[in-house]
Amino acid sequence: MNAAAHAEPPGIVLTGCTVVDGRVLDGVGPLPGAAVWVRGERIAAVGPAAEVLAAAEAAGEFRRVDLAGAYVTPGLVNMHTHLSLSLPGQGGDAVKGMGAHELALYMADGARRTLLCGVTTVRCVAEKDHADFALRRAITSGRVTGPRIFTAGRALVCTGGHGHEGTDTLECDGVDGFRRGVRSQVRAGADLIKVMISGGIAGEHEAIHTRQLFGDELAAVIETAHAWGRKVTAHAGPAPVIAEAVGLGLDCVEHGYQLTPEVAALMAERGTALVPTLLVTRCKEFFDELGVPEWMQRRSLGAGPRHLESYAMALAAGVEVLLGSDMPPFWGFEGTNASVRELEHMSGAGLGPARALYAGTLGPIRWLGAEADLGSVEPGKFADLIAMDGDPLADTSAFRGVRWVMAGGRIVRDDRAGMEAA
């Protein structure tokens, strides 16, 4: 949460902790017996407890918080978030039927729950009615509790394309139409552009492999977005469509249900990231809860084995993979929340705990271009931190035990102190 008015003066020193972050892949190991000094919204110092405490004491008054042996990491970053998600079925229909005011409150509640579960930054990749921009302003100003938001605004689709039924997409056609679509989202304040270039699991009259943009349209999206300094991510399933997009300069693939080794190698060569969203093809419990129709459940769950094979191909090729749940980040699922469950799937399917920590924290922040402020536990960066009792380098499931959350220097969750939890 980026709100200076909510930071806790005159400073906080976190002790009794081991600090670890995604820089472990760069050779920066865990720091046991550590302390983290937070002043205002940002980290002032990190190091051995005695040294940090001495520096804080020399600077004046501060409050000490003993984390009782916890592991401290940066907050998680969920790169595939829809706070206004409305899948086919009764649950989705209820969201679609909300008026503007009810939708805003619904999304604000989701943002609060997202932050409390330890996700301190999200990348929204299609939200209804541009309500995400209002929500971001409210969080930034301190009126609403929630994660930092990077957003694509409305996703761009062809007429009748994937997701065209909702107000979270914008129908475009032709080169000029897609150029205008990109510019309209930039005008609204988009940090990136999302485009649907193939069918998916939630479109009744399409298949996962259905091509939905022609080459000149796709080139127009990428060229225009890059001219405005915005990266492009694409909802995409089939290998031939992904290969064409990557060749044109696509920055990120969402899902990638049907990759081939050749296309994965091309992605790795060009630096195109993958947000695999493994949950979406293995979440029957979630679908049942929302009343998702049988046709969609069959398509989704049936795609699961091939989806996992694609993910393995991406890992083997060295593609950068990043955490993204597609399900609401905070959603209770299989004994934890959707963000952690997705990270567990990624880790267990070949990524491993250390790379999973990176994929859930520093990797996404680097893709977002926000590394100067976020993504690691270093002096000068925003104090967006979480604490848990287990070691996330030993087992990714340690994130199930998040019990303390700080956002922008403000403690928003502390289970031991009885503060609210997600």
Side-chain angles (χ1 to χ4, degrees):
M1 179 173 172
N2 184 14
H6 287 270
E8 301 190 19
I12 300 174
V13 177
L14 311 174
T15 60
C17 60
T18 296
V19 171
V20 60
D21 61 35
R23 292 176 299 155
V24 68
L25 298 187
D26 300 329
V28 180
L31 181 61
V36 182
W37 179 17
V38 177
R39 299 185 74 176
E41 292 185 287
R42 295 183 182 262
I43 298 169
V46 182
E51 294 179 12
V52 173
L53 283 166
E57 287 168 356
E61 183 183 358
F62 64 89
R63 182 161 72 92
R64 181 170 176 172
V65 175
D66 185 353
L67 292 175
Y71 287 81
V72 171
T73 75
L76 291 173
V77 183
N78 193 311
M79 292 282 276
H80 195 118
T81 298
H82 303 284
L83 292 171
S84 56
L85 181 69
S86 56
L87 295 175
Q90 297 172 352
D93 290 344
V95 177
K96 289 178 183 177
M98 292 179 179
H101 306 304
E102 188 177 4
L103 179 66
L105 291 170
Y106 176 82
M107 291 175 66
D109 178 63
R112 177 188 63 84
R113 295 169 67 184
T114 294
L115 179 60
L116 293 178
C117 78
V119 176
T120 57
T121 300
V122 297
R123 188 186 69 165
C124 296
V125 286
E127 300 290 1
K128 291 180 171 50
D129 302 325
H130 280 174
D132 42 326
F133 298 109
L135 178 61
R136 181 172 64 184
R137 289 191 295 271
I139 291 171
T140 300
S141 67
R143 295 190 302 271
V144 169
T145 295
R148 299 179 195 276
I149 293 177
F150 293 81
T151 185
R154 297 171 73 182
L156 307 183
V157 303
C158 67
T159 294
H162 184 75
H164 74 278
E165 307 91 344
T167 59
D168 50 358
T169 57
L170 177 66
E171 288 183 303
C172 309
D173 288 298
V175 169
D176 289 345
F178 276 100
R179 287 197 191 279
R180 283 194 295 270
V182 170
R183 290 167 180 152
S184 72
Q185 300 316 295
V186 172
R187 179 180 60 189
D191 304 290
L192 65 140
I193 298 298
K194 166 83 175 289
V195 61
M196 311 293 204
I197 66 175
S198 76
I201 62 175
E204 187 171 7
H205 303 297
E206 63 189 35
I208 288 175
H209 60 266
T210 302
R211 180 193 181 102
Q212 298 197 344
L213 266 72
F214 291 109
D216 58 350
E217 295 173 318
L218 181 54
V221 170
I222 295 171
E223 181 184 29
T224 307
H226 286 178
W228 283 88
R230 301 319 194 264
K231 289 183 175 180
V232 180
T233 193
H235 163 98
V241 174
I242 293 171
E244 181 180 15
V246 171
L248 290 169
L250 183 69
D251 301 291
C252 188
V253 171
E254 309 297 309
H255 313 305
Y257 299 118
Q258 299 171 353
L259 294 178
T260 63
E262 295 75 16
V263 173
L266 180 64
M267 290 175 63
E269 177 189 337
R270 297 295 181 91
T272 306
L274 172 67
V275 179
T277 66
L278 297 175
L279 276 183
V280 301
T281 56
R282 43 195 38 80
C283 60
K284 180 170 175 52
E285 173 188 316
F286 174 67
F287 288 155
D288 288 344
E289 186 175 353
L290 294 183
V292 169
E294 184 60 29
W295 66 262
M296 180 177 163
Q297 294 209 31
R298 283 198 307 271
R299 182 183 298 175
S300 170
L301 302 176
R306 181 68 176 86
H307 191 187
L308 206 59
E309 289 175 6
S310 293
Y311 176 67
M313 292 172 190
L315 294 184
V319 174
E320 174 113 356
V321 296
L322 306 171
L323 169 64
S325 62
D326 206 350
M327 288 170 56
F330 58 84
W331 204 275
F333 183 68
E334 295 184 347
T336 184
N337 59 70
S339 300
V340 172
R341 192 68 188 100
E342 174 69 21
L343 200 60
E344 288 177 331
H345 277 303
M346 294 173 69
S347 179
L351 192 60
R355 292 170 65 196
L357 172 63
Y358 179 88
T361 55
L362 186 54
I365 291 301
R366 285 177 171 169
W367 191 95
L368 291 166
E371 188 181 357
D373 290 317
L374 299 165
S376 58
V377 188
E378 295 183 82
K381 298 199 176 184
F382 285 118
D384 290 1
L385 306 170
I386 59 178
M388 66 211 80
D389 290 322
D391 179 359
L393 292 180
D395 188 346
T396 301
S397 292
F399 285 103
R400 288 181 175 239
V402 169
R403 59 173 172 83
W404 183 93
V405 179
M406 171 178 275
R410 176 184 171 221
I411 299 171
V412 296
R413 175 180 172 186
D414 186 346
D415 292 2
R416 295 191 178 200
M419 292 179 66
E420 61 180 341

